[in-house]
Amino acid sequence: MPVLESSLDVRSAAFARNREDMLDLLQTVDELLQEASEGGGPEAMARLRSQGKMPIRERIAHVLDQDSPFLEISPLAAWRSPFAVSSGFVVGIGVIEGVECLILGHDPSVRAGAFNQFNSKKLMRGLQISRENRLPYIQFVESAGADLRGQGANEDPEEALQREIGHFAESGRLFYEITELSKMRIPSVSLVFGASTAGGAYQPGMSDYNILIKNQSRVFLGGPPLVKMATGEDADPESLGGADMHATISGLGDYLAQDEMDGIRMCREVVSHFNWRKRGPEPEEQFEEPIHDSEDLLGIVSKDLKSPFDIREVISRIVDGSQFEDFKPLYGPTLVCGWASIHGYRIGILGNNGALFSESAEKAAQFIQLCNQIDVPILFLHNITGFLVGTDFEQGGITKNGSKMINAVSNSTVPHISIVVGASYGAGNYGMSGRGFGTRFSFIWPTAKIAVMGPKQMAGVMTIVGKGAAARRGIEFDDEADAKRAAVAEHWAEERSKGLFATSRVSDDGMIDPRDTRMVISIVLSACHNEEVKGTKEYGTWRM
């Protein structure tokens, strides 16, 4: 397979500027990740340790195999919201006793591990990852149930009520999802570290295996205050839902641990007896690292996403041996398609080198079909403003051929992985297997922007529509007022298109350091191969 050559000038002023900007963005990300690791803050962490409890990330670190990585999902959820960064839940993929598992943990230092609209999304995303990739599901449970303090200080009470109703309906789905895993023969394990109330109680209630900790775990649908209000009974917490009671009387507890480390040991033992076997093909044992330096990935993409770059410069720094078989390189050149391998796993790659033309879309549709024929996962590298618009392009079949590409993406059954390195706007996001298209995993670089369209274009479209409406009504259009409105609209569209905002709303699986791209892809590729990798031979109707 040919080795990709690099023409990247790492001594240029542009490269140095891009690298400096990227490092500034990464510093912000690192500061937020540090904030997330601090949970509810120093006071809350000190209170937790005074109770003889470990922070959630320490619990997870102890259950993982030694020196194995942990890929956290949506670690920056809830940034710029009334809730703590990371939202009080930790979700990720890690290896326990040689088995790749989906691990979810409540952070008891953040509002007692209560559910809110952000961590509920993370919880449901974790269950989806477990189901789609056939990963055993491990829960570290310690939750006060629903967060009853979710309303922000300046939030309208009616809006808060509607949001909470929607949150309640959505989070209730977790009970169904956990039991569905059992039906699919995907094991679920709950290790209960503290009080698990209401919805938190159903997590062990629906699990295949339950580990409770003596004098620490408490599981009840209604805690003593609710029991008092509902029945008038003055219930003792240990008699109502303590670990000893559940292990000896109710039968909810399968294992009774003496302390947290003993519970973690038991969790590892439970996973060890799963007799787990991956169904997908194994990777090639021998592979080469890229010949081009991953450090160069810091300087490829400009903060000004109008500045072009060759996506092959990214590909050459993440694939084995920098080897890439370019498919149809002379046809539809604004979309790069080809085959490579990453950590020994064969993979097809689509990467943007400009807007999508009819030819680019047709090439993509054919390439996606070929990947499905040979059962090869697909990596989508986004830097796309969308499909080209205009009379000439419509007459040239852009809608018809763009639909072919989206048809192929929608019907493809091999695992899709998306990495947004630059822009991902409008239908371009759809064509490149955005989050709404069943993508197994989706990550973004700090430079990423995701929106219906560019902020300037959106503000301009609103102005044109406004002028048309004024003309139809026979009134004078206020250019000055429109300019002020357009400036505000453009500002907020710009802010909300930034990757940091998108990732904080759990619209992807996390913002990653460009230098970690190869490692992240290899982890999720390995996770995907727990399930059989099988492409479809059937598609919807092609408009010829």
Side-chain angles (χ1 to χ4, degrees), residues 319-543:
V319 300
D320 294 348
S322 298
Q323 294 178 319
F324 182 69
E325 181 186 337
D326 220 330
F327 177 73
K328 282 192 172 180
L330 303 180
Y331 185 80
T334 59
L335 186 67
V336 174
C337 300
W339 286 279
S341 62
I342 296 179
H343 275 246
Y345 285 106
R346 297 290 297 163
I347 192 164
I349 300 176
L350 288 85
N352 302 120
N353 259 356
L356 287 165
F357 289 78
S358 283
E359 295 84 358
S360 311
E362 279 193 308
K363 179 168 75 170
Q366 181 186 358
F367 182 75
I368 292 167
Q369 289 183 79
L370 293 174
C371 288
N372 275 265
Q373 283 191 349
I374 59 176
D375 303 329
V376 169
I378 304 173
L379 171 65
F380 295 81
L381 298 173
H382 295 227
N383 182 34
I384 180 66
T385 54
F387 291 91
L388 282 170
V389 297
T391 303
D392 289 343
F393 299 111
E394 289 294 352
Q395 292 179 359
I398 188 64
T399 299
K400 179 182 69 175
N401 293 323
S403 297
K404 290 179 185 178
M405 180 178 180
I406 294 175
N407 185 317
V409 168
S410 302
N411 288 281
S412 171
T413 58
V414 295
H416 292 184
I417 300 165
S418 282
I419 310 284
V420 182
V421 303
S424 188
Y425 291 151
N429 176 272
Y430 307 152
M432 291 295 289
S433 196
R435 184 65 171 265
F437 281 74
T439 300
R440 292 285 186 94
F441 294 95
S442 177
F443 298 94
I444 63 175
W445 283 11
T447 41
K449 286 187 178 180
I450 304 167
V452 174
M453 63 182 73
K456 285 186 181 294
Q457 288 76 15
M458 188 192 75
V461 167
M462 291 172 67
T463 295
I464 293 169
V465 171
K467 285 182 177 180
R472 286 191 298 274
R473 295 198 303 268
I475 62 175
E476 185 177 351
F477 184 72
D478 190 337
D479 287 298
E480 185 176 342
D482 179 73
K484 291 179 181 178
R485 177 207 54 76
V488 171
E490 186 178 331
H491 168 75
W492 285 111
E494 174 69 22
E495 286 300 304
R496 293 185 178 186
S497 72
K498 290 180 179 177
L500 198 51
F501 182 85
T503 201
S504 73
R505 269 51 191 172
V506 200
S507 66
D508 54 69
D509 294 318
M511 180 174 283
I512 61 174
D513 186 322
R515 295 167 292 189
D516 294 335
T517 304
R518 173 176 165 84
M519 179 189 69
V520 168
I521 294 171
S522 67
I523 290 173
V524 298
L525 272 176
S526 181
C528 289
H529 283 70
N530 275 273
E531 184 55 282
E532 184 180 12
V533 176
K534 189 173 183 180
T536 183
K537 310 300 184 288
E538 299 179 3
Y539 289 87
T541 301
W542 295 100
R543 189 172 296 278

Side-chain angles (χ1 to χ4, degrees), residues 213-329:
I213 300 172
K214 192 176 183 66
N215 299 323
Q216 186 169 319
S217 304
R218 292 175 181 173
V219 181
F220 25 55
L221 298 183
L226 180 57
V227 170
K228 177 67 174 178
M229 291 301 297
T231 70
E233 177 189 356
D234 290 312
D236 169 64
E238 282 297 318
S239 300
L240 182 65
D244 278 313
M245 188 280 290
H246 281 305
T248 61
I249 300 175
S250 80
L252 178 69
D254 303 315
Y255 303 86
L256 183 62
Q258 297 303 305
D259 53 33
E260 293 199 1
M261 285 303 295
D262 191 36
I264 288 169
R265 176 189 61 79
M266 289 179 173
C267 182
R268 290 181 56 82
E269 286 185 353
V270 169
V271 174
S272 72
H273 81 237
F274 286 165
N275 192 28
W276 199 251
R277 292 182 294 274
K278 297 172 76 165
R279 293 176 176 172
E282 290 294 320
E284 295 290 335
E285 290 187 8
Q286 300 296 325
F287 59 84
E288 298 177 3
E289 293 295 317
I291 64 172
H292 302 300
D293 195 346
S294 63
E295 285 288 325
D296 297 343
L297 293 170
L298 294 173
I300 292 175
V301 184
S302 170
K303 272 205 314 185
D304 177 9
L305 296 181
K306 293 177 184 176
S307 300
F309 64 90
D310 188 348
I311 199 68
R312 290 180 180 86
E313 297 289 358
V314 175
I315 295 170
S316 69
R317 287 162 176 81
I318 62 174
V319 300
D320 294 348
S322 298
Q323 294 178 319
F324 182 69
E325 181 186 337
D326 220 330
F327 177 73
K328 282 192 172 180

